[in-house]
Amino acid sequence: MATRWGLCGAGKISHDFSVAMKTLSPGDHQIRAIASRSLERAQDFAKKHGVPKAYGSYEELANDPDIDVVHLGVLHTEHWQVGLLLLEAGKNVLCEKPFAMNSRQVKDLVAAAKKNNVFLMEAIWSRCFPVHAEVRRQLAEEAVGEVKLVKAYFGSPQLHIPRAVERELGGGALLDIGVYCLQFVLMVFKGERPECIEASGVLLDTGVDESVVVVMKFSRNRMAFCSFSIGARLPNDAFIAGTKGSIQVVGPMHCPTTLVVNNNRMEYPLPEPCLPLNFTNSTGLRYEAEEVRQCLLKGMKESPVMSLQDSVLLTEIMDEIRKQVGVVFSQDSQ
């Protein structure tokens, strides 16, 4: 029986998610409804993507009994409020990154999922890519020995995009793209909390971070270095240095198709999209959709690939980075 999806939000990420779903078997995945605050926008989306039902409110989607799981793709300033609406209605949820604006909001979502006994996962799609699965396998087999240093970079000029630069819209490099660098480090170090975090950055006039450098120290003298920016283009790759070798995730690091392990290059091509995409390699969203389906089939309430504990720690680290850099959102005082 197919997993029946609902889409919350009719924006760019929902478009790409719908295109990615068309690369999967309709016997496994079906998008059955789309919800937007604008009924007209939802109807236009439904017509374009062949979605049977269109709703002009998120409440209607939350109350639809024929939906198994909702992909939450609204602005991340709305993840907390809309996420709670869906979870309290008993819906399983795949929530786009960042999970919420701060760790308090993330913990609220986790508590709501547990209270209502439903599945919840932060859509860090990177974790579900075959490249990242192979990284985890290589590390488990100690292919590079003991990991001593991890580096991750992601820079994409976005100063012309209001969503990226306005504080009221949750802008800044950290929440938009820095999250990918940090989650990669935590994946390599198996969810271990760093012993020390040192962050430095520069802010825009709007009060959000344009560029940030983060150095983290872990147990046994292991280090991680991350640099991310919405003002400059950076390599967008990741590197793991061990006592016996190295692993390189060739860019784009957040949605990779190429991996180099001890000079051995491996390729994992993506299927071609049926419609133009908004974001690079977006047919790779198919991997997180399939991860959700497999978890639901097994009756699981969270994914071992991106656990709720992983998401809480990730957001706590981002809270500390924002504190050191000086970025404050209105949600921090609510």
Side-chain angles (χ1 to χ4, degrees), residues 69-136:
V69 57
V70 174
H71 174 264
L72 180 53
V74 298
L75 280 175
H76 47 259
T77 50
E78 301 178 29
H79 285 179
W80 176 72
Q81 182 179 9
V82 182
L84 288 177
L85 168 70
L86 295 168
L87 294 168
E88 293 292 349
K91 284 288 182 282
N92 300 303
V93 174
L94 173 65
C95 179
E96 270 303 323
K97 63 80 195 168
F99 219 156
M101 295 300 292
N102 54 41
S103 59
R104 178 188 58 79
Q105 289 190 340
V106 169
K107 290 172 184 175
D108 285 348
L109 292 171
V110 171
K114 292 182 177 180
K115 171 189 171 186
N116 293 282
N117 195 33
V118 292
F119 176 87
L120 176 63
M121 175 181 167
E122 183 178 12
I124 301 288
W125 63 326
S126 312
R127 291 277 179 109
C128 302
F129 270 67
V131 165
H132 281 234
E134 181 63 20
V135 169
R136 293 191 293 271

Side-chain angles (χ1 to χ4, degrees), residues 241-285:
T243 54
K244 297 180 181 178
S246 65
I247 297 174
Q248 182 185 10
V249 177
V250 180
M253 175 270 296
H254 67 299
C255 51
T257 58
T258 304
L259 182 68
V260 180
V261 181
N262 295 328
N263 297 319
N264 179 29
R265 189 180 183 94
M266 292 172 271
E267 302 284 351
Y268 300 85
L270 288 167
E272 290 296 318
C274 61
L275 291 171
L277 297 168
N278 294 297
F279 304 108
T280 303
N281 288 353
S282 277
T283 50
L285 291 165

